[in-house]
Amino acid sequence: MKTSDFYYDLPQELIAQTPMKRRDGSRLMTLDRRTGETGHRRFHDLPSLLRPGDCLIMNDSRVLPARLLGRRLPGGGACEVLLLTDRGDNVWECLVRPGRKLRAGARMTFGDGSLAAEVVKEEADGNRLIRFEYEGIFLEILERLGKMPLPPYIKEELQDQERYQTVYSKVLGSAAAPTAGLHFTKPLLEEIAAGGVGLGYVTLHVGLGTFRPVKEESVEDHEMHSEFCTIPPETAELINRTKADGGRVICVGTTSCRTLESWAGEDGHMEPRSGWTNIYLYPGCRFKVMDGLVTNFHLPESTLIMLVSAFAGREAVLNAYREAVKERYRFFSFGDAMFIL
């Protein structure tokens, strides 16, 4: 199967640059994966598409304000650091700019000087290991000095940083938002729960690898990035009970899907689990536990559109995407949503 099989034409003006004024006011395309039939609603209609006994599984990871703007020492030239992975002992793996000026030994300062840093190693892939120096609690300093690491296709400055967080985000650690969850409001979740639908949470810390393009000609040759995820006991119990009672397990976002499918037994049984996953789902893969998916519209030739195609069928998905373009849906992180059953 070729990567080009997952290409579609997308006018640049359909890439959403800012969030909707009302989170649940975004559009919602429905896709029946058995028939390929589509429908058009608003996201706040989602409760009417769910049944008592279903469960929604959401990713409660919270995005780190991981983009730091600072100055190089000495001299004061501008620099930018993007935190990727905590390596321990105040050392983080990072992306840096300008790379040619930030070699091993280079020093930087951020904000009011309460955060300093030194490049301790250059990795083979161009990333840097950086040791940070500070007084107090690093995450509190980061909340004060850092900016949201928005995807490269978003050019607008985000006015309210909380709009790149889900309303149920809790566990700091992601380099990007689990964007399907951005459409939910607390009242909408309360309405869903009041309708007899179970709400469960997993944690998967989204890495920037989620934006890494598939460069290989063959889909099967792509190497998937790893991300850390957790399924707590109460969520595993909810999934197993839902299945046993004939309900549907509906994942909110590809990250929730990847978490469940990574650890589900062959019969769909779920146990509590934590660990790293690099599961790669593309057409031909079998889904063991997920019955439905709430997701945004994804980049052409990305691993995410491949996952959606694995679940709903490539032709059905590409037809739905062409319809979304025709109907002027908004695409990607701040864009509209699909509900696939």
Side-chain angles (χ1 to χ4, degrees):
M1 188 173 295
K2 293 183 178 180
T3 299
S4 58
D5 292 336
F6 298 90
Y7 178 81
Y8 66 93
D9 285 316
L10 179 67
Q12 286 290 112
E13 66 267 20
L14 295 185
I15 300 174
Q17 294 296 310
T18 55
M20 293 279 289
K21 191 168 287 187
R22 174 179 167 181
R23 283 182 185 258
D24 62 0
S26 52
R27 296 170 77 182
L28 179 67
M29 176 184 280
T30 57
L31 173 60
D32 187 323
R33 61 195 178 107
R34 286 161 290 276
T35 66
E37 183 181 355
T38 57
H40 305 281
R41 296 174 179 253
R42 290 285 171 179
F43 200 85
H44 52 69
D45 296 326
L46 182 63
S48 68
L49 301 172
L50 303 172
R51 301 195 296 242
D54 289 343
C55 72
L56 280 184
I57 304 299
M58 294 164 279
N59 181 7
D60 64 6
S61 182
R62 187 168 173 81
V63 186
L64 284 165
R67 183 170 166 244
L68 290 165
L69 304 178
R71 295 282 171 187
R72 305 193 306 274
L73 298 174
C79 64
E80 181 176 335
V81 170
L82 185 62
L83 306 178
L84 298 179
T85 306
D86 185 355
R87 294 291 195 88
D89 294 326
N90 297 328
V91 174
W92 284 72
E93 183 177 349
C94 304
L95 295 174
V96 300
R97 189 189 299 175
R100 59 189 174 81
K101 298 280 190 179
L102 294 172
R103 307 292 188 186
R107 293 189 58 80
M108 296 159 281
T109 182
F110 302 93
D112 53 8
S114 60
L115 183 64
E118 180 180 346
V119 179
V120 295
K121 185 182 178 185
E122 298 175 47
E123 297 284 74
D125 59 4
N127 293 352
R128 305 291 196 267
L129 297 187
I130 296 178
R131 177 175 290 112
F132 289 93
E133 303 160 14
Y134 54 90
E135 295 287 338
I137 299 172
F138 183 67
L139 292 180
E140 289 182 358
I141 295 171
L142 202 58
E143 290 276 8
R144 181 163 50 86
L145 299 182
K147 294 179 177 291
M148 283 298 160
L150 296 178
Y153 48 75
I154 293 178
K155 310 301 181 187
E156 297 270 345
E157 190 76 20
L158 184 62
Q159 298 305 311
D160 177 5
Q161 301 217 103
E162 276 302 307
R163 290 307 306 271
Y164 197 57
Q165 305 278 16
T166 64
V167 296
Y168 48 78
S169 64
K170 185 170 64 174
V171 187
L172 270 171
S174 278
T179 54
L182 296 179
H183 306 282
F184 287 90
T185 63
K186 288 182 178 178
L188 184 63
L189 288 170
E190 290 168 0
E191 182 183 349
I192 289 169
V197 175
L199 303 180
Y201 298 91
V202 297
T203 304
L204 181 140
H205 292 315
V206 187
L208 285 182
T210 193
F211 300 115
R212 187 159 65 92
V214 178
K215 295 180 179 178
E216 291 77 9
E217 183 177 347
S218 174
V219 165
E220 293 85 353
D221 292 339
H222 177 70
E223 186 176 335
M224 196 70 176
H225 60 287
S226 293
E227 294 162 315
F228 191 81
C229 59
T230 299
I231 301 171
E234 60 271 20
T235 301
E237 182 183 338
L238 171 63
I239 291 167
N240 294 333
R241 186 170 67 249
T242 298
K243 286 287 192 183
D245 293 344
R248 302 173 299 183
V249 175
I250 297 164
C251 291
V252 175
T254 57
T255 59
S256 299
C257 165
R258 293 180 68 240
T259 301
L260 298 194
E261 296 297 329
S262 292
W263 310 123
E266 286 302 313
D267 60 354
H269 184 78
M270 191 65 61
E271 294 286 345
R273 185 78 181 266
S274 288
W276 291 88
T277 180
N278 64 347
I279 191 171
Y280 181 23
L281 297 166
Y282 53 86
C285 297
R286 184 175 72 87
F287 289 81
K288 295 173 286 190
V289 64
M290 183 173 75
D291 301 304
L293 177 65
V294 177
T295 186
N296 280 16
F297 292 89
H298 303 294
L299 278 72
E301 300 183 337
S302 64
T303 59
L304 303 181
I305 195 172
M306 292 172 190
L307 184 155
V308 174
S309 297
F311 184 60
R314 187 181 71 90
E315 282 303 320
V317 168
L318 290 178
N319 285 337
Y321 272 55
R322 284 189 283 267
E323 184 175 346
V325 169
K326 180 182 175 184
E327 296 294 328
R328 311 295 289 176
Y329 273 66
R330 289 156 47 94
F331 279 68
F332 306 162
S333 295
F334 287 139
D336 295 315
M338 295 182 78
F339 181 36
I340 306 172
L341 271 176

